[in-house]
Amino acid sequence: MSTLVIVGAGPRGTGLLERIAANAPELLPADRPLQIHLVDPYPPGAGRIWRYDQSPLLRMNSMAEDVTMFTDERSTIDGPRRPGPSLAEWAARRTEFAPYREIPDPAVRAELDTLAPTDFPTRRAQSAYLDWVFRRAVADLPPHITATVHRDTVRRIDGPADGPQSVHLADRVLTADHVALTLGHLDSAPAPRYAADAAFAARHGRFHLPPAFSADADLAGIAPGEHLVLRGFGLAFVDLLSLLTEGRGGRFEEAPDGLAYRPSGREPVIHVGSRRGVPYHSKTGYRLQGPPAPLPRYFDAAAVDTVLARPGPLELRRDFWPLMAKDIGFGHYHELFHAHPERTALPWPAFLAAYDRHDWYSPELGRLVAEAVPDPADRLDFERLDLPLAGVELGSAEELQHHLRDYVTRDAERRADPAHSADLGAFLALLSLFGQLPRVLASGRLTARSVGEEVDEWFFGYFGFLASGPPGFRLRQLLALSEAGVVHFLGAGIRVEQDEATGTWRASGATVPGHTVTATALVEAYLPKHAPDRTRDPVLRELHRAGRIVEEVVEDAEYTHRSGLLTIAPGDSRLLDPALGGAPHPRRTALGPHTSLRAAAAFARPRTDSPGFRQNDAAARALLRALAAQEAAALADCVAGAL
């Protein structure tokens, strides 16, 4: 019997288990039994991030119909496709699916009973879906494969590369022929750049919170009425804002002039700013109004091959972004011309023929768009979208509040209005870029500076700003909190400085020169970034200490970039091991956001050929082949020994 230990039983571990169940009939003979152990201190399926035990105020930033754990007809995988329901389909028809476990919470049951496809579910509803997916994956395992769950934490892994691995839990050691690390989102001890503010807070008895997952953040040290600076305007900000307002007893009510917030009196006074100074764009609340664009068109495999064939080092912004931007533009204008032709001045075939001929940043393309799309509001301008407060200087803090409220109002209204469905066309095209982006990164052709500054900092930050924002109702709530005086905007280019004389932080922004606020609490409203040398995960900490994992480091003569990601083999996701000369470890695999295969999410939108699903399938097939080969070799040794 072979043994596989999967360390981490959240969505990524569940996805790997589902692919093992799908591929085993082909790759693991029925006379080769396999015992799978899944180890996770959190509930299987949901794991840490999506566990049920978190505030019901916390929600997903995806609509229910846009969340699936299953492959479908668009999945380009070698293994069998096994379609399954999206979260919305499962909620609507869950009594038709095998009810492996009744959902105990009546509030979650009520939410699922009324969940519309375009609703943004609570994370607890997603937890129920992931629990069902996990139980279905276990039930779908062939008879010769069994699965056991251990609600425990792996402390250490050791063993020779050519022999069984010892997986140390709290009170037992599991012997494994292969180990898969599907650890999900990880955090680390705070980066050195936060040490000064932490020390300042300790000296003066103030509150400071470094980047943290919102469900785990302890906010009890923030006093009612205390002035607080939230540095960051993304998804972590949205969650923290909810916990500090509704989570403290405040409530939102519909009023004649819009949403109103009724404070409880236990909220702090929140000052928020960031580099851009504006919140992430909200998710669209509608579907495409026209036919889907046939993507990709410009950033496809052939185009990437052509660029990779060029001599010399490559850069994302110079060599690939024009193709990427043109594909996003194609998605945008395809929807505009097909769904809203009355706002265009050329027939689509004529526009597309000219669009095909010109580069994204060429003057010819600019003239074409200006001719074909009369309203500038219907044109796609990445630079304007990226920095909406660039060059804006206002005379007072009050003027800034009005300016930001107007900006947020317009964004929320646009993202709720199907008349602007070209935005969704651009969003879907943006998602399609991840079909080829992993190839670009795995090629090793990008300069170190490009990987660090253009990919990890600029592109993924820009992607989050455009495509990973909150539901629209969160922006309406932000407006209500601003009107109620609970939230105050600081603008772009936020600076936070320590004032030792008063033991307070002084925060300012570039949008209102000279305006400063004073605060006694500082929260870094960012998601944690993992670093192997500071990891809080015990198994990775021990592997790093023993020199058995490789942090992705891209360097050249001019620049060194440490990504914090574990380097894996692109084809089968095996961990690269310095003790093996940097070669892939034959018995250790890693999948997920902590690895060098970026943007491989654990779940995805249906019919988008998810890179994460492709990775899961390739890894499952590779480890099943490896397990079958190991078993065959062991049997051969036994026969030889008997002779």
Side-chain angles (χ1 to χ4, degrees), residues 5-29:
V5 175
I6 299 177
V7 185
R12 204 52 192 262
T14 299
L16 178 62
L17 187 68
E18 188 275 335
R19 288 290 84 201
I20 290 172
N23 283 286
E26 173 194 351
L27 299 175
L28 193 68

Side-chain angles (χ1 to χ4, degrees), residues 580-591:
L580 303 178
H585 195 293
R587 293 175 181 257
R588 296 176 185 173
T589 293
L591 305 119

Side-chain angles (χ1 to χ4, degrees), residues 59 199 446:
R59 291 181 176 263
L446 294 179

Side-chain angles (χ1 to χ4, degrees), residues 25 58 68 91 171 179 208-209 228 261 283 328 339 350 354 405 443 451-452 457 475 490 495 506 521 557 601:
L58 300 180
T68 188
D171 60 353
V179 179
H208 175 254
L209 181 71
L228 159 71
Y261 182 72
K283 284 291 184 70
I328 302 171
R405 286 174 199 155
S443 72
V451 174
E457 292 184 20
L475 292 190
L490 288 169
R495 294 184 59 187
R506 296 173 62 81

Side-chain angles (χ1 to χ4, degrees), residues 370-452:
E371 175 190 359
V373 184
D375 187 349
D378 287 329
R379 301 173 194 164
L380 189 58
D381 184 336
F382 291 109
E383 286 66 37
R384 176 180 54 82
L385 286 171
D386 191 13
L387 298 171
L389 294 182
V392 176
E393 285 195 6
L394 302 174
S396 68
E398 187 57 34
E399 190 177 350
L400 173 62
Q401 309 314 305
H402 288 295
H403 185 89
L404 262 293
R405 286 174 199 155
D406 180 64
Y407 171 88
V408 172
T409 298
R410 285 185 284 107
D411 184 61
E413 290 176 348
R414 181 180 178 109
R415 293 304 182 105
D417 186 354
H420 296 289
S421 61
D423 291 353
L424 179 56
F427 165 75
L428 295 173
L430 184 58
L431 290 182
S432 78
L433 302 181
F434 291 101
Q436 293 300 319
L437 187 59
R439 282 189 61 218
V440 172
L441 293 168
S443 72
R445 295 291 310 286
L446 294 179
T447 67
R449 186 176 298 277
S450 181
V451 174

